[in-house]
Amino acid sequence: MVLFLLLAPCFYSAWSNYQQKREELLNDMNQALELTLARQMNVEISPDTIRNYLAYLTVPELRDHSIVYYATGDRRASLCSRPMHWTNGIEQCEFQSYASCSPLTILRLSDQRWSSLLLLLSALWVLAALVYFRRSAPAVSTVTIGQLTLEGNTFYNAYRQPVHLTPMQEQLLRLFFDAPCHSLSKQEICDCLWPRKPDASDTLYTLVKRMKPILEAQGGLQISSDRGKGYILESK
């Protein structure tokens, strides 16, 4: 919301000042052509015609980009004066001046101090917001046992590759990583993984058996029996 409140007036100011400068340039071209035609003697566009026209321009930047030519109705030039009828009583013609000023040139010539300030404030606000959210983001906890690392919600091996485990294997491994000394009793594991199962000893034994080769290959770890009462996760 704050960014919108900064950018909306920024773009409006830039567009408004651009349009104002464009109108100013067109008015300058119109008055210069009008004064030039007041001194024109015939329909031929001579070096004097061009010289007079450029001299009457009050915006210096236009002098390097403007020409006087016959009115053709061609609007490909970015700036065109209005067509002006000229006659000396014998000959008559319509003249028009053209300027090859790109929109970027017009924007550069316009007063963009206010919009530039708002754009700078917008950039500073975005930078401050990024810094704030980065600092306020919760730090990702990292725990390493052997060559296996738990970072956030993912286990990685020594090569920074995710270790693929079944949901139950991942739960058990997370229990070991969170436990003091990485030691758990059988009852603690069963109550956490199978709270509604009266006796999950066989299920636990199978789960540990299938996990052992994975942990050894991926992290150089082993699950050892703790005097038959529990298990401990440790380096080999």
Side-chain angles (χ1 to χ4, degrees), residues 143-169:
V143 180
T144 299
I145 306 176
Q147 300 174 16
L148 204 63
T149 299
L150 172 60
E151 185 174 315
N153 296 315
T154 306
F155 289 96
Y156 296 96
N157 61 20
Y159 301 100
R160 193 61 184 172
Q161 297 171 332
V163 177
H164 300 291
L165 302 166
T166 66
M168 194 64 69
Q169 290 172 346

mmCIF file with all atom_site columns, all heavy atoms in Angstrom, residues 143-169:
data_model
loop_
_atom_site.group_PDB
_atom_site.id
_atom_site.type_symbol
_atom_site.label_atom_id
_atom_site.label_alt_id
_atom_site.label_comp_id
_atom_site.label_asym_id
_atom_site.label_entity_id
_atom_site.label_seq_id
_atom_site.pdbx_PDB_ins_code
_atom_site.Cartn_x
_atom_site.Cartn_y
_atom_site.Cartn_z
_atom_site.occupancy
_atom_site.B_iso_or_equiv
_atom_site.pdbx_formal_charge
_atom_site.auth_seq_id
_atom_site.auth_comp_id
_atom_site.auth_asym_id
_atom_site.auth_atom_id
_atom_site.pdbx_PDB_model_num
ATOM 1   N N   . VAL A 1 143 ? 21.071 -28.895 12.512 1.00 0.00 ? 143 VAL A N   1
ATOM 2   C CA  . VAL A 1 143 ? 21.657 -29.868 13.430 1.00 0.00 ? 143 VAL A CA  1
ATOM 3   C C   . VAL A 1 143 ? 22.387 -30.898 12.582 1.00 0.00 ? 143 VAL A C   1
ATOM 4   O O   . VAL A 1 143 ? 21.847 -31.409 11.602 1.00 0.00 ? 143 VAL A O   1
ATOM 5   C CB  . VAL A 1 143 ? 20.595 -30.565 14.294 1.00 0.00 ? 143 VAL A CB  1
ATOM 6   C CG1 . VAL A 1 143 ? 21.262 -31.569 15.238 1.00 0.00 ? 143 VAL A CG1 1
ATOM 7   C CG2 . VAL A 1 143 ? 19.783 -29.542 15.081 1.00 0.00 ? 143 VAL A CG2 1
ATOM 8   N N   . THR A 1 144 ? 23.636 -31.212 12.974 1.00 0.00 ? 144 THR A N   1
ATOM 9   C CA  . THR A 1 144 ? 24.439 -32.172 12.218 1.00 0.00 ? 144 THR A CA  1
ATOM 10  C C   . THR A 1 144 ? 24.905 -33.296 13.131 1.00 0.00 ? 144 THR A C   1
ATOM 11  O O   . THR A 1 144 ? 25.410 -33.059 14.239 1.00 0.00 ? 144 THR A O   1
ATOM 12  C CB  . THR A 1 144 ? 25.672 -31.493 11.583 1.00 0.00 ? 144 THR A CB  1
ATOM 13  O OG1 . THR A 1 144 ? 25.231 -30.473 10.687 1.00 0.00 ? 144 THR A OG1 1
ATOM 14  C CG2 . THR A 1 144 ? 26.508 -32.500 10.807 1.00 0.00 ? 144 THR A CG2 1
ATOM 15  N N   . ILE A 1 145 ? 24.704 -34.517 12.656 1.00 0.00 ? 145 ILE A N   1
ATOM 16  C CA  . ILE A 1 145 ? 25.225 -35.697 13.351 1.00 0.00 ? 145 ILE A CA  1
ATOM 17  C C   . ILE A 1 145 ? 25.975 -36.505 12.302 1.00 0.00 ? 145 ILE A C   1
ATOM 18  O O   . ILE A 1 145 ? 25.398 -36.885 11.270 1.00 0.00 ? 145 ILE A O   1
ATOM 19  C CB  . ILE A 1 145 ? 24.107 -36.554 13.969 1.00 0.00 ? 145 ILE A CB  1
ATOM 20  C CG1 . ILE A 1 145 ? 23.213 -35.700 14.885 1.00 0.00 ? 145 ILE A CG1 1
ATOM 21  C CG2 . ILE A 1 145 ? 24.693 -37.721 14.759 1.00 0.00 ? 145 ILE A CG2 1
ATOM 22  C CD1 . ILE A 1 145 ? 22.023 -36.458 15.446 1.00 0.00 ? 145 ILE A CD1 1
ATOM 23  N N   . GLY A 1 146 ? 27.249 -36.778 12.564 1.00 0.00 ? 146 GLY A N   1
ATOM 24  C CA  . GLY A 1 146 ? 28.054 -37.475 11.570 1.00 0.00 ? 146 GLY A CA  1
ATOM 25  C C   . GLY A 1 146 ? 28.125 -36.657 10.295 1.00 0.00 ? 146 GLY A C   1
ATOM 26  O O   . GLY A 1 146 ? 28.530 -35.492 10.307 1.00 0.00 ? 146 GLY A O   1
ATOM 27  N N   . GLN A 1 147 ? 27.688 -37.241 9.191  1.00 0.00 ? 147 GLN A N   1
ATOM 28  C CA  . GLN A 1 147 ? 27.676 -36.547 7.911  1.00 0.00 ? 147 GLN A CA  1
ATOM 29  C C   . GLN A 1 147 ? 26.254 -36.200 7.472  1.00 0.00 ? 147 GLN A C   1
ATOM 30  O O   . GLN A 1 147 ? 26.024 -35.827 6.326  1.00 0.00 ? 147 GLN A O   1
ATOM 31  C CB  . GLN A 1 147 ? 28.338 -37.416 6.832  1.00 0.00 ? 147 GLN A CB  1
ATOM 32  C CG  . GLN A 1 147 ? 29.783 -37.764 7.138  1.00 0.00 ? 147 GLN A CG  1
ATOM 33  C CD  . GLN A 1 147 ? 30.355 -38.740 6.137  1.00 0.00 ? 147 GLN A CD  1
ATOM 34  O OE1 . GLN A 1 147 ? 29.812 -38.961 5.060  1.00 0.00 ? 147 GLN A OE1 1
ATOM 35  N NE2 . GLN A 1 147 ? 31.488 -39.349 6.497  1.00 0.00 ? 147 GLN A NE2 1
ATOM 36  N N   . LEU A 1 148 ? 25.322 -36.299 8.420  1.00 0.00 ? 148 LEU A N   1
ATOM 37  C CA  . LEU A 1 148 ? 23.917 -36.024 8.112  1.00 0.00 ? 148 LEU A CA  1
ATOM 38  C C   . LEU A 1 148 ? 23.493 -34.733 8.793  1.00 0.00 ? 148 LEU A C   1
ATOM 39  O O   . LEU A 1 148 ? 23.768 -34.533 9.977  1.00 0.00 ? 148 LEU A O   1
ATOM 40  C CB  . LEU A 1 148 ? 23.040 -37.194 8.585  1.00 0.00 ? 148 LEU A CB  1
ATOM 41  C CG  . LEU A 1 148 ? 21.692 -37.386 7.884  1.00 0.00 ? 148 LEU A CG  1
ATOM 42  C CD1 . LEU A 1 148 ? 21.899 -37.691 6.411  1.00 0.00 ? 148 LEU A CD1 1
ATOM 43  C CD2 . LEU A 1 148 ? 20.910 -38.497 8.549  1.00 0.00 ? 148 LEU A CD2 1
ATOM 44  N N   . THR A 1 149 ? 22.826 -33.869 8.030  1.00 0.00 ? 149 THR A N   1
ATOM 45  C CA  . THR A 1 149 ? 22.430 -32.563 8.548  1.00 0.00 ? 149 THR A CA  1
ATOM 46  C C   . THR A 1 149 ? 20.927 -32.378 8.393  1.00 0.00 ? 149 THR A C   1
ATOM 47  O O   . THR A 1 149 ? 20.362 -32.648 7.323  1.00 0.00 ? 149 THR A O   1
ATOM 48  C CB  . THR A 1 149 ? 23.147 -31.421 7.791  1.00 0.00 ? 149 THR A CB  1
ATOM 49  O OG1 . THR A 1 149 ? 24.546 -31.561 7.963  1.00 0.00 ? 149 THR A OG1 1
ATOM 50  C CG2 . THR A 1 149 ? 22.709 -30.057 8.313  1.00 0.00 ? 149 THR A CG2 1
ATOM 51  N N   . LEU A 1 150 ? 20.291 -31.928 9.479  1.00 0.00 ? 150 LEU A N   1
ATOM 52  C CA  . LEU A 1 150 ? 18.883 -31.549 9.437  1.00 0.00 ? 150 LEU A CA  1
ATOM 53  C C   . LEU A 1 150 ? 18.826 -30.027 9.352  1.00 0.00 ? 150 LEU A C   1
ATOM 54  O O   . LEU A 1 150 ? 19.226 -29.329 10.275 1.00 0.00 ? 150 LEU A O   1
ATOM 55  C CB  . LEU A 1 150 ? 18.144 -32.040 10.678 1.00 0.00 ? 150 LEU A CB  1
ATOM 56  C CG  . LEU A 1 150 ? 16.697 -31.547 10.833 1.00 0.00 ? 150 LEU A CG  1
ATOM 57  C CD1 . LEU A 1 150 ? 15.839 -31.977 9.650  1.00 0.00 ? 150 LEU A CD1 1
ATOM 58  C CD2 . LEU A 1 150 ? 16.101 -32.030 12.149 1.00 0.00 ? 150 LEU A CD2 1
ATOM 59  N N   . GLU A 1 151 ? 18.353 -29.536 8.232  1.00 0.00 ? 151 GLU A N   1
ATOM 60  C CA  . GLU A 1 151 ? 18.238 -28.096 8.030  1.00 0.00 ? 151 GLU A CA  1
ATOM 61  C C   . GLU A 1 151 ? 16.788 -27.773 7.716  1.00 0.00 ? 151 GLU A C   1
ATOM 62  O O   . GLU A 1 151 ? 16.264 -28.127 6.664  1.00 0.00 ? 151 GLU A O   1
ATOM 63  C CB  . GLU A 1 151 ? 19.134 -27.642 6.881  1.00 0.00 ? 151 GLU A CB  1
ATOM 64  C CG  . GLU A 1 151 ? 19.149 -26.129 6.687  1.00 0.00 ? 151 GLU A CG  1
ATOM 65  C CD  . GLU A 1 151 ? 20.157 -25.681 5.652  1.00 0.00 ? 151 GLU A CD  1
ATOM 66  O OE1 . GLU A 1 151 ? 21.295 -26.184 5.687  1.00 0.00 ? 151 GLU A OE1 1
ATOM 67  O OE2 . GLU A 1 151 ? 19.798 -24.853 4.814  1.00 0.00 ? 151 GLU A OE2 1
ATOM 68  N N   . GLY A 1 152 ? 16.132 -27.079 8.646  1.00 0.00 ? 152 GLY A N   1
ATOM 69  C CA  . GLY A 1 152 ? 14.705 -26.806 8.474  1.00 0.00 ? 152 GLY A CA  1
ATOM 70  C C   . GLY A 1 152 ? 13.933 -28.096 8.582  1.00 0.00 ? 152 GLY A C   1
ATOM 71  O O   . GLY A 1 152 ? 13.897 -28.744 9.622  1.00 0.00 ? 152 GLY A O   1
ATOM 72  N N   . ASN A 1 153 ? 13.327 -28.513 7.459  1.00 0.00 ? 153 ASN A N   1
ATOM 73  C CA  . ASN A 1 153 ? 12.548 -29.748 7.435  1.00 0.00 ? 153 ASN A CA  1
ATOM 74  C C   . ASN A 1 153 ? 13.159 -30.811 6.529  1.00 0.00 ? 153 ASN A C   1
ATOM 75  O O   . ASN A 1 153 ? 12.486 -31.780 6.181  1.00 0.00 ? 153 ASN A O   1
ATOM 76  C CB  . ASN A 1 153 ? 11.112 -29.453 6.963  1.00 0.00 ? 153 ASN A CB  1
ATOM 77  C CG  . ASN A 1 153 ? 10.376 -28.548 7.925  1.00 0.00 ? 153 ASN A CG  1
ATOM 78  O OD1 . ASN A 1 153 ? 10.431 -28.744 9.128  1.00 0.00 ? 153 ASN A OD1 1
ATOM 79  N ND2 . ASN A 1 153 ? 9.681  -27.558 7.393  1.00 0.00 ? 153 ASN A ND2 1
ATOM 80  N N   . THR A 1 154 ? 14.416 -30.636 6.136  1.00 0.00 ? 154 THR A N   1
ATOM 81  C CA  . THR A 1 154 ? 15.038 -31.538 5.173  1.00 0.00 ? 154 THR A CA  1
ATOM 82  C C   . THR A 1 154 ? 16.350 -32.076 5.701  1.00 0.00 ? 154 THR A C   1
ATOM 83  O O   . THR A 1 154 ? 17.138 -31.343 6.300  1.00 0.00 ? 154 THR A O   1
ATOM 84  C CB  . THR A 1 154 ? 15.286 -30.816 3.830  1.00 0.00 ? 154 THR A CB  1
ATOM 85  O OG1 . THR A 1 154 ? 14.065 -30.235 3.374  1.00 0.00 ? 154 THR A OG1 1
ATOM 86  C CG2 . THR A 1 154 ? 15.798 -31.785 2.777  1.00 0.00 ? 154 THR A CG2 1
ATOM 87  N N   . PHE A 1 155 ? 16.584 -33.374 5.458  1.00 0.00 ? 155 PHE A N   1
ATOM 88  C CA  . PHE A 1 155 ? 17.851 -34.004 5.801  1.00 0.00 ? 155 PHE A CA  1
ATOM 89  C C   . PHE A 1 155 ? 18.761 -33.989 4.576  1.00 0.00 ? 155 PHE A C   1
ATOM 90  O O   . PHE A 1 155 ? 18.333 -34.311 3.461  1.00 0.00 ? 155 PHE A O   1
ATOM 91  C CB  . PHE A 1 155 ? 17.626 -35.455 6.261  1.00 0.00 ? 155 PHE A CB  1
ATOM 92  C CG  . PHE A 1 155 ? 16.968 -35.569 7.608  1.00 0.00 ? 155 PHE A CG  1
ATOM 93  C CD1 . PHE A 1 155 ? 15.595 -35.755 7.711  1.00 0.00 ? 155 PHE A CD1 1
ATOM 94  C CD2 . PHE A 1 155 ? 17.720 -35.480 8.766  1.00 0.00 ? 155 PHE A CD2 1
ATOM 95  C CE1 . PHE A 1 155 ? 14.987 -35.853 8.947  1.00 0.00 ? 155 PHE A CE1 1
ATOM 96  C CE2 . PHE A 1 155 ? 17.121 -35.583 10.022 1.00 0.00 ? 155 PHE A CE2 1
ATOM 97  C CZ  . PHE A 1 155 ? 15.745 -35.763 10.107 1.00 0.00 ? 155 PHE A CZ  1
ATOM 98  N N   . TYR A 1 156 ? 20.039 -33.631 4.791  1.00 0.00 ? 156 TYR A N   1
ATOM 99  C CA  . TYR A 1 156 ? 21.017 -33.582 3.695  1.00 0.00 ? 156 TYR A CA  1
ATOM 100 C C   . TYR A 1 156 ? 22.223 -34.448 4.051  1.00 0.00 ? 156 TYR A C   1
ATOM 101 O O   . TYR A 1 156 ? 22.621 -34.517 5.227  1.00 0.00 ? 156 TYR A O   1
ATOM 102 C CB  . TYR A 1 156 ? 21.513 -32.153 3.449  1.00 0.00 ? 156 TYR A CB  1
ATOM 103 C CG  . TYR A 1 156 ? 20.437 -31.205 2.980  1.00 0.00 ? 156 TYR A CG  1
ATOM 104 C CD1 . TYR A 1 156 ? 19.769 -30.390 3.889  1.00 0.00 ? 156 TYR A CD1 1
ATOM 105 C CD2 . TYR A 1 156 ? 20.107 -31.104 1.626  1.00 0.00 ? 156 TYR A CD2 1
ATOM 106 C CE1 . TYR A 1 156 ? 18.783 -29.504 3.466  1.00 0.00 ? 156 TYR A CE1 1
ATOM 107 C CE2 . TYR A 1 156 ? 19.136 -30.221 1.194  1.00 0.00 ? 156 TYR A CE2 1
ATOM 108 C CZ  . TYR A 1 156 ? 18.471 -29.421 2.118  1.00 0.00 ? 156 TYR A CZ  1
ATOM 109 O OH  . TYR A 1 156 ? 17.506 -28.544 1.688  1.00 0.00 ? 156 TYR A OH  1
ATOM 110 N N   . ASN A 1 157 ? 22.806 -35.069 3.011  1.00 0.00 ? 157 ASN A N   1
ATOM 111 C CA  . ASN A 1 157 ? 24.043 -35.812 3.227  1.00 0.00 ? 157 ASN A CA  1
ATOM 112 C C   . ASN A 1 157 ? 25.243 -34.887 3.076  1.00 0.00 ? 157 ASN A C   1
ATOM 113 O O   . ASN A 1 157 ? 25.090 -33.669 2.930  1.00 0.00 ? 157 ASN A O   1
ATOM 114 C CB  . ASN A 1 157 ? 24.135 -37.016 2.274  1.00 0.00 ? 157 ASN A CB  1
ATOM 115 C CG  . ASN A 1 157 ? 24.130 -36.602 0.805  1.00 0.00 ? 157 ASN A CG  1
ATOM 116 O OD1 . ASN A 1 157 ? 24.431 -35.450 0.476  1.00 0.00 ? 157 ASN A OD1 1
ATOM 117 N ND2 . ASN A 1 157 ? 23.797 -37.538 -0.061 1.00 0.00 ? 157 ASN A ND2 1
ATOM 118 N N   . ALA A 1 158 ? 26.437 -35.456 3.089  1.00 0.00 ? 158 ALA A N   1
ATOM 119 C CA  . ALA A 1 158 ? 27.656 -34.643 3.041  1.00 0.00 ? 158 ALA A CA  1
ATOM 120 C C   . ALA A 1 158 ? 27.812 -33.904 1.719  1.00 0.00 ? 158 ALA A C   1
ATOM 121 O O   . ALA A 1 158 ? 28.548 -32.915 1.642  1.00 0.00 ? 158 ALA A O   1
ATOM 122 C CB  . ALA A 1 158 ? 28.881 -35.524 3.286  1.00 0.00 ? 158 ALA A CB  1
ATOM 123 N N   . TYR A 1 159 ? 27.127 -34.367 0.673  1.00 0.00 ? 159 TYR A N   1
ATOM 124 C CA  . TYR A 1 159 ? 27.211 -33.737 -0.647 1.00 0.00 ? 159 TYR A CA  1
ATOM 125 C C   . TYR A 1 159 ? 26.077 -32.740 -0.887 1.00 0.00 ? 159 TYR A C   1
ATOM 126 O O   . TYR A 1 159 ? 25.816 -32.330 -1.997 1.00 0.00 ? 159 TYR A O   1
ATOM 127 C CB  . TYR A 1 159 ? 27.208 -34.812 -1.739 1.00 0.00 ? 159 TYR A CB  1
ATOM 128 C CG  . TYR A 1 159 ? 28.342 -35.790 -1.603 1.00 0.00 ? 159 TYR A CG  1
ATOM 129 C CD1 . TYR A 1 159 ? 28.130 -37.040 -1.021 1.00 0.00 ? 159 TYR A CD1 1
ATOM 130 C CD2 . TYR A 1 159 ? 29.625 -35.467 -2.028 1.00 0.00 ? 159 TYR A CD2 1
ATOM 131 C CE1 . TYR A 1 159 ? 29.174 -37.949 -0.871 1.00 0.00 ? 159 TYR A CE1 1
ATOM 132 C CE2 . TYR A 1 159 ? 30.677 -36.364 -1.888 1.00 0.00 ? 159 TYR A CE2 1
ATOM 133 C CZ  . TYR A 1 159 ? 30.446 -37.602 -1.302 1.00 0.00 ? 159 TYR A CZ  1
ATOM 134 O OH  . TYR A 1 159 ? 31.494 -38.485 -1.160 1.00 0.00 ? 159 TYR A OH  1
ATOM 135 N N   . ARG A 1 160 ? 25.423 -32.394 0.174  1.00 0.00 ? 160 ARG A N   1
ATOM 136 C CA  . ARG A 1 160 ? 24.318 -31.424 0.130  1.00 0.00 ? 160 ARG A CA  1
ATOM 137 C C   . ARG A 1 160 ? 23.160 -31.941 -0.741 1.00 0.00 ? 160 ARG A C   1
ATOM 138 O O   . ARG A 1 160 ? 22.468 -31.187 -1.396 1.00 0.00 ? 160 ARG A O   1
ATOM 139 C CB  . ARG A 1 160 ? 24.832 -30.086 -0.391 1.00 0.00 ? 160 ARG A CB  1
ATOM 140 C CG  . ARG A 1 160 ? 23.891 -28.899 -0.215 1.00 0.00 ? 160 ARG A CG  1
ATOM 141 C CD  . ARG A 1 160 ? 23.595 -28.629 1.234  1.00 0.00 ? 160 ARG A CD  1
ATOM 142 N NE  . ARG A 1 160 ? 22.617 -27.561 1.385  1.00 0.00 ? 160 ARG A NE  1
ATOM 143 C CZ  . ARG A 1 160 ? 22.062 -27.208 2.525  1.00 0.00 ? 160 ARG A CZ  1
ATOM 144 N NH1 . ARG A 1 160 ? 22.418 -27.834 3.638  1.00 0.00 ? 160 ARG A NH1 1
ATOM 145 N NH2 . ARG A 1 160 ? 21.180 -26.245 2.596  1.00 0.00 ? 160 ARG A NH2 1
ATOM 146 N N   . GLN A 1 161 ? 22.969 -33.245 -0.700 1.00 0.00 ? 161 GLN A N   1
ATOM 147 C CA  . GLN A 1 161 ? 21.870 -33.861 -1.436 1.00 0.00 ? 161 GLN A CA  1
ATOM 148 C C   . GLN A 1 161 ? 20.786 -34.275 -0.443 1.00 0.00 ? 161 GLN A C   1
ATOM 149 O O   . GLN A 1 161 ? 21.090 -34.833 0.618  1.00 0.00 ? 161 GLN A O   1
ATOM 150 C CB  . GLN A 1 161 ? 22.370 -35.093 -2.202 1.00 0.00 ? 161 GLN A CB  1
ATOM 151 C CG  . GLN A 1 161 ? 23.414 -34.774 -3.258 1.00 0.00 ? 161 GLN A CG  1
ATOM 152 C CD  . GLN A 1 161 ? 24.040 -36.040 -3.823 1.00 0.00 ? 161 GLN A CD  1
ATOM 153 O OE1 . GLN A 1 161 ? 24.117 -37.074 -3.142 1.00 0.00 ? 161 GLN A OE1 1
ATOM 154 N NE2 . GLN A 1 161 ? 24.508 -35.959 -5.060 1.00 0.00 ? 161 GLN A NE2 1
ATOM 155 N N   . PRO A 1 162 ? 19.523 -34.026 -0.755 1.00 0.00 ? 162 PRO A N   1
ATOM 156 C CA  . PRO A 1 162 ? 18.447 -34.448 0.161  1.00 0.00 ? 162 PRO A CA  1
ATOM 157 C C   . PRO A 1 162 ? 18.430 -35.961 0.328  1.00 0.00 ? 162 PRO A C   1
ATOM 158 O O   . PRO A 1 162 ? 18.614 -36.709 -0.635 1.00 0.00 ? 162 PRO A O   1
ATOM 159 C CB  . PRO A 1 162 ? 17.174 -33.957 -0.542 1.00 0.00 ? 162 PRO A CB  1
ATOM 160 C CG  . PRO A 1 162 ? 17.633 -32.900 -1.496 1.00 0.00 ? 162 PRO A CG  1
ATOM 161 C CD  . PRO A 1 162 ? 19.008 -33.301 -1.923 1.00 0.00 ? 162 PRO A CD  1
ATOM 162 N N   . VAL A 1 163 ? 18.219 -36.393 1.534  1.00 0.00 ? 163 VAL A N   1
ATOM 163 C CA  . VAL A 1 163 ? 18.130 -37.829 1.834  1.00 0.00 ? 163 VAL A CA  1
ATOM 164 C C   . VAL A 1 163 ? 16.662 -38.233 1.781  1.00 0.00 ? 163 VAL A C   1
ATOM 165 O O   . VAL A 1 163 ? 15.823 -37.653 2.472  1.00 0.00 ? 163 VAL A O   1
ATOM 166 C CB  . VAL A 1 163 ? 18.718 -38.136 3.225  1.00 0.00 ? 163 VAL A CB  1
ATOM 167 C CG1 . VAL A 1 163 ? 18.554 -39.620 3.548  1.00 0.00 ? 163 VAL A CG1 1
ATOM 168 C CG2 . VAL A 1 163 ? 20.183 -37.728 3.283  1.00 0.00 ? 163 VAL A CG2 1
ATOM 169 N N   . HIS A 1 164 ? 16.368 -39.213 0.940  1.00 0.00 ? 164 HIS A N   1
ATOM 170 C CA  . HIS A 1 164 ? 14.981 -39.626 0.738  1.00 0.00 ? 164 HIS A CA  1
ATOM 171 C C   . HIS A 1 164 ? 14.611 -40.709 1.762  1.00 0.00 ? 164 HIS A C   1
ATOM 172 O O   . HIS A 1 164 ? 15.205 -41.787 1.798  1.00 0.00 ? 164 HIS A O   1
ATOM 173 C CB  . HIS A 1 164 ? 14.788 -40.145 -0.687 1.00 0.00 ? 164 HIS A CB  1
ATOM 174 C CG  . HIS A 1 164 ? 15.114 -39.115 -1.730 1.00 0.00 ? 164 HIS A CG  1
ATOM 175 N ND1 . HIS A 1 164 ? 14.341 -37.984 -1.932 1.00 0.00 ? 164 HIS A ND1 1
ATOM 176 C CD2 . HIS A 1 164 ? 16.142 -39.029 -2.623 1.00 0.00 ? 164 HIS A CD2 1
ATOM 177 C CE1 . HIS A 1 164 ? 14.863 -37.257 -2.904 1.00 0.00 ? 164 HIS A CE1 1
ATOM 178 N NE2 . HIS A 1 164 ? 15.958 -37.866 -3.332 1.00 0.00 ? 164 HIS A NE2 1
ATOM 179 N N   . LEU A 1 165 ? 13.611 -40.385 2.565  1.00 0.00 ? 165 LEU A N   1
ATOM 180 C CA  . LEU A 1 165 ? 13.137 -41.284 3.612  1.00 0.00 ? 165 LEU A CA  1
ATOM 181 C C   . LEU A 1 165 ? 11.627 -41.415 3.512  1.00 0.00 ? 165 LEU A C   1
ATOM 182 O O   . LEU A 1 165 ? 10.945 -40.528 2.978  1.00 0.00 ? 165 LEU A O   1
ATOM 183 C CB  . LEU A 1 165 ? 13.509 -40.741 4.992  1.00 0.00 ? 165 LEU A CB  1
ATOM 184 C CG  . LEU A 1 165 ? 15.001 -40.511 5.273  1.00 0.00 ? 165 LEU A CG  1
ATOM 185 C CD1 . LEU A 1 165 ? 15.163 -39.660 6.524  1.00 0.00 ? 165 LEU A CD1 1
ATOM 186 C CD2 . LEU A 1 165 ? 15.721 -41.848 5.433  1.00 0.00 ? 165 LEU A CD2 1
ATOM 187 N N   . THR A 1 166 ? 11.109 -42.506 4.047  1.00 0.00 ? 166 THR A N   1
ATOM 188 C CA  . THR A 1 166 ? 9.658  -42.629 4.150  1.00 0.00 ? 166 THR A CA  1
ATOM 189 C C   . THR A 1 166 ? 9.189  -41.694 5.271  1.00 0.00 ? 166 THR A C   1
ATOM 190 O O   . THR A 1 166 ? 9.981  -41.299 6.136  1.00 0.00 ? 166 THR A O   1
ATOM 191 C CB  . THR A 1 166 ? 9.246  -44.073 4.468  1.00 0.00 ? 166 THR A CB  1
ATOM 192 O OG1 . THR A 1 166 ? 9.718  -44.405 5.783  1.00 0.00 ? 166 THR A OG1 1
ATOM 193 C CG2 . THR A 1 166 ? 9.826  -45.045 3.455  1.00 0.00 ? 166 THR A CG2 1
ATOM 194 N N   . PRO A 1 167 ? 7.905  -41.331 5.293  1.00 0.00 ? 167 PRO A N   1
ATOM 195 C CA  . PRO A 1 167 ? 7.415  -40.447 6.364  1.00 0.00 ? 167 PRO A CA  1
ATOM 196 C C   . PRO A 1 167 ? 7.710  -40.979 7.767  1.00 0.00 ? 167 PRO A C   1
ATOM 197 O O   . PRO A 1 167 ? 8.081  -40.212 8.660  1.00 0.00 ? 167 PRO A O   1
ATOM 198 C CB  . PRO A 1 167 ? 5.907  -40.374 6.087  1.00 0.00 ? 167 PRO A CB  1
ATOM 199 C CG  . PRO A 1 167 ? 5.787  -40.594 4.611  1.00 0.00 ? 167 PRO A CG  1
ATOM 200 C CD  . PRO A 1 167 ? 6.866  -41.583 4.280  1.00 0.00 ? 167 PRO A CD  1
ATOM 201 N N   . MET A 1 168 ? 7.561  -42.300 7.957  1.00 0.00 ? 168 MET A N   1
ATOM 202 C CA  . MET A 1 168 ? 7.813  -42.858 9.280  1.00 0.00 ? 168 MET A CA  1
ATOM 203 C C   . MET A 1 168 ? 9.298  -42.824 9.616  1.00 0.00 ? 168 MET A C   1
ATOM 204 O O   . MET A 1 168 ? 9.693  -42.524 10.755 1.00 0.00 ? 168 MET A O   1
ATOM 205 C CB  . MET A 1 168 ? 7.289  -44.304 9.343  1.00 0.00 ? 168 MET A CB  1
ATOM 206 C CG  . MET A 1 168 ? 7.188  -44.864 10.750 1.00 0.00 ? 168 MET A CG  1
ATOM 207 S SD  . MET A 1 168 ? 5.980  -43.953 11.764 1.00 0.00 ? 168 MET A SD  1
ATOM 208 C CE  . MET A 1 168 ? 4.439  -44.430 10.970 1.00 0.00 ? 168 MET A CE  1
ATOM 209 N N   . GLN A 1 169 ? 10.162 -43.117 8.627  1.00 0.00 ? 169 GLN A N   1
ATOM 210 C CA  . GLN A 1 169 ? 11.605 -43.046 8.847  1.00 0.00 ? 169 GLN A CA  1
ATOM 211 C C   . GLN A 1 169 ? 12.028 -41.615 9.178  1.00 0.00 ? 169 GLN A C   1
ATOM 212 O O   . GLN A 1 169 ? 12.875 -41.396 10.060 1.00 0.00 ? 169 GLN A O   1
ATOM 213 C CB  . GLN A 1 169 ? 12.337 -43.550 7.603  1.00 0.00 ? 169 GLN A CB  1
ATOM 214 C CG  . GLN A 1 169 ? 12.217 -45.034 7.352  1.00 0.00 ? 169 GLN A CG  1
ATOM 215 C CD  . GLN A 1 169 ? 12.793 -45.443 6.011  1.00 0.00 ? 169 GLN A CD  1
ATOM 216 O OE1 . GLN A 1 169 ? 13.049 -44.608 5.149  1.00 0.00 ? 169 GLN A OE1 1
ATOM 217 N NE2 . GLN A 1 169 ? 12.973 -46.756 5.832  1.00 0.00 ? 169 GLN A NE2 1
#
